[in-house]
Amino acid sequence: MELKDLFLTPLYLGIFYGIAFAVRKRFTNPLTRKYFIPALSVKFLGAIGLGLIYQFYYGGGDTFNYFSHVKVIYQAFGDSFSTGVKLLLGKHPADADMLRYTGQMYWYDAPTEYFVAQVASVFALIGFGSYTVIALGFAFLSFCGMWAMYVTFLRIYPLAYKKLAIAVFFLPSVFFWGRG
C-alpha cells in the first residue's frame, strides 16, 4: 500500500456507497433494507483489513502476488495503450511488445490465476493502480453476488431473513476471508 491509497480510499468509498444507496431501494424490501449497507460496510472493512494484515503482518502472500501482476499490466498501459489492452485481454501467444511484461508475470500462462489479475487490472485502471481501490472493487463485486445469493435463499426460506443475513454477511470468516 502506498500514500495514494490514503487519498483514494475515502474517495472511492464515497463512490461505492453512493452507488449502493442509489440501488438499495431496487434490490431490497422493508425487511432486508436494514442489512444492505451494514453488510456492504463489513465487506469493505474486511477488504481493507485483509490487505493491512497481509502487508504488515504476513509481509506478502497471494494477494500481493496478484497485485504484482496488476502493477505490470497497469505499467504497460502507461507505456503503450495497445500493449496494455493485449495484456488485459490475455492475448496468446505473446507478441514482441508483450514479452517485456509477460516475463515479469509468472501466472501469465496460468488462465485461472491470470483471470484474477485481469479483473483486478480493470479496477486498477479506474482506481489509478491503488491496492485498496482494487480491494474495494472486489469487495463491491463480491457483495453483489452475495446479495443475490441472500435474496435467492430468502425465496426458499422467507421467514429466516435475519438468520440468513447473519450467516451470509456477518460471520467474521465470511466478510474477512471471503473477499480475496
Side-chain angles (χ1 to χ4, degrees):
M1 291 187 211
E2 302 171 21
L3 186 60
K4 67 181 171 184
D5 290 297
L6 292 175
F7 297 108
L8 292 174
T9 300
L11 174 69
Y12 280 85
L13 273 172
I15 292 169
F16 286 129
Y17 275 121
I19 294 168
F21 277 107
V23 301
R24 180 174 65 163
K25 195 174 209 174
R26 181 174 176 210
F27 293 104
T28 63
N29 63 41
L31 296 174
T32 62
R33 184 166 293 126
K34 63 183 174 184
Y35 300 115
F36 193 80
I37 297 300
L40 179 62
S41 298
V42 296
K43 200 72 177 154
F44 286 156
L45 179 68
I48 293 170
L50 183 81
L52 292 172
I53 285 177
Y54 268 94
Q55 181 168 3
F56 296 112
Y57 184 75
Y58 293 130
D62 285 350
T63 300
F64 284 95
N65 291 337
Y66 287 115
F67 185 59
S68 70
H69 283 57
V70 172
K71 289 192 294 190
V72 171
I73 296 169
Y74 186 75
Q75 177 190 355
F77 268 98
D79 296 342
S80 166
F81 185 80
S82 64
T83 304
V85 169
K86 291 176 194 175
L87 289 170
L88 182 65
L89 298 177
K91 180 182 179 284
H92 277 85
D95 61 24
D97 296 334
M98 297 169 60
L99 291 177
R100 172 178 156 203
Y101 302 102
T102 59
Q104 300 175 51
M105 298 186 288
Y106 47 88
W107 285 335
Y108 184 72
D109 290 320
T112 305
E113 289 82 7
Y114 193 68
F115 178 73
V116 175
Q118 289 171 299
V119 173
S121 294
V122 173
F123 289 125
L125 289 172
I126 61 173
F128 304 101
S130 164
Y131 174 85
T132 52
V133 172
I134 295 167
L136 292 173
F138 269 108
F140 190 80
L141 188 63
S142 170
F143 174 75
C144 293
M146 290 175 69
W147 190 263
M149 180 177 70
Y150 174 64
V151 170
T152 301
F153 287 162
L154 282 178
R155 289 185 186 133
I156 300 167
Y157 304 105
L159 299 178
Y161 65 93
K162 183 176 181 178
K163 292 177 184 175
L164 284 171
I166 291 168
V168 172
F169 302 117
F170 299 111
L171 293 177
S173 61
V174 171
F175 73 79
F176 188 75
W177 297 110
R179 83 99 200 135

